[in-house]
Amino acid sequence: MKELFNTKSLLILTLFVSVFALSPVMATTSYPGYGVQAEIPFAFNAGDTLLPAGSYRIIRSSNIEPSIEVFNEDGSVGVFLLVEDSFDTKEPETSELVFKKIGGKDFLKEVHTESTDYELETSHQEQQLETQGIKSEIYKIAGVKVKK
């Protein structure tokens, strides 16, 4: 009886650990068309986190609480962000990233994929710069690759 209990406990623990270990893989594959890959040639802020220039993947992270993950190709740099999202039925010709330049800093504001638009919340740094009356400029990086 004790051996059967230990076997069941081990099986449940293995299943539990497997689900959490595979969750980043499932997030990438469970939501096809909900992510992009982009070469960003400048340092930028995603939320309140400064990320260096590089090749990034931006993927939908959860259906329960709309969120995205922004991480570089080798996974050494990344951030998890809550977002406002809208499910559009349109398919844009290209996916794109929208940035706001304010006070010499670039802030990621929106991510447009082939099926969803994500709008990032205004970061504390942006709010501080805007309250100082610093002029901002919106610009886009179009033609980013869609992450399937």
Side-chain angles (χ1 to χ4, degrees):
M1 183 73 167
K2 186 176 179 183
E3 190 175 313
L4 180 60
F5 178 76
N6 287 339
T7 304
K8 282 185 179 181
S9 297
L10 183 60
L11 180 61
I12 290 170
L13 180 63
T14 303
L15 182 61
F16 185 74
V17 169
S18 297
V19 167
F20 282 103
L22 291 174
S23 61
V25 173
M26 290 174 10
T28 305
T29 58
S30 296
Y31 308 111
Y34 292 91
V36 295
Q37 281 182 268
E39 186 66 37
I40 303 176
F42 49 83
F44 66 100
N45 286 6
D48 284 317
T49 304
L50 178 63
L51 299 173
S55 188
Y56 284 87
R57 288 183 181 210
I58 303 169
I59 61 168
R60 182 177 184 91
S61 187
S62 170
N63 237 352
I64 299 165
E65 187 75 39
S67 57
I68 60 172
E69 292 177 60
V70 180
F71 56 95
N72 66 354
E73 286 299 311
D74 66 7
S76 63
V77 176
V79 64
F80 174 85
L81 302 163
L82 295 177
V83 296
E84 296 288 327
D85 65 351
S86 62
F87 295 92
D88 295 330
T89 55
K90 66 175 178 56
E91 291 209 17
E93 292 178 19
T94 59
S95 294
E96 63 186 9
L97 303 179
V98 178
F99 290 88
K100 179 192 269 186
K101 184 179 242 5
I102 185 169
K105 295 182 178 185
D106 298 286
F107 295 90
L108 179 62
K109 293 303 300 169
E110 298 174 18
V111 177
H112 300 279
T113 71
E114 58 184 29
S115 58
T116 304
D117 296 335
Y118 303 105
E119 185 177 330
L120 281 70
E121 295 178 0
T122 303
S123 71
H124 296 297
Q125 290 180 37
E126 283 177 88
Q127 290 173 0
Q128 289 174 342
L129 292 169
E130 287 172 346
T131 58
Q132 295 172 14
I134 298 174
K135 194 173 184 179
S136 65
E137 171 189 347
I138 302 292
Y139 64 96
K140 300 175 182 180
I141 296 180
V144 296
K145 291 191 282 185
V146 175
K147 173 74 179 118
K148 298 274 186 180

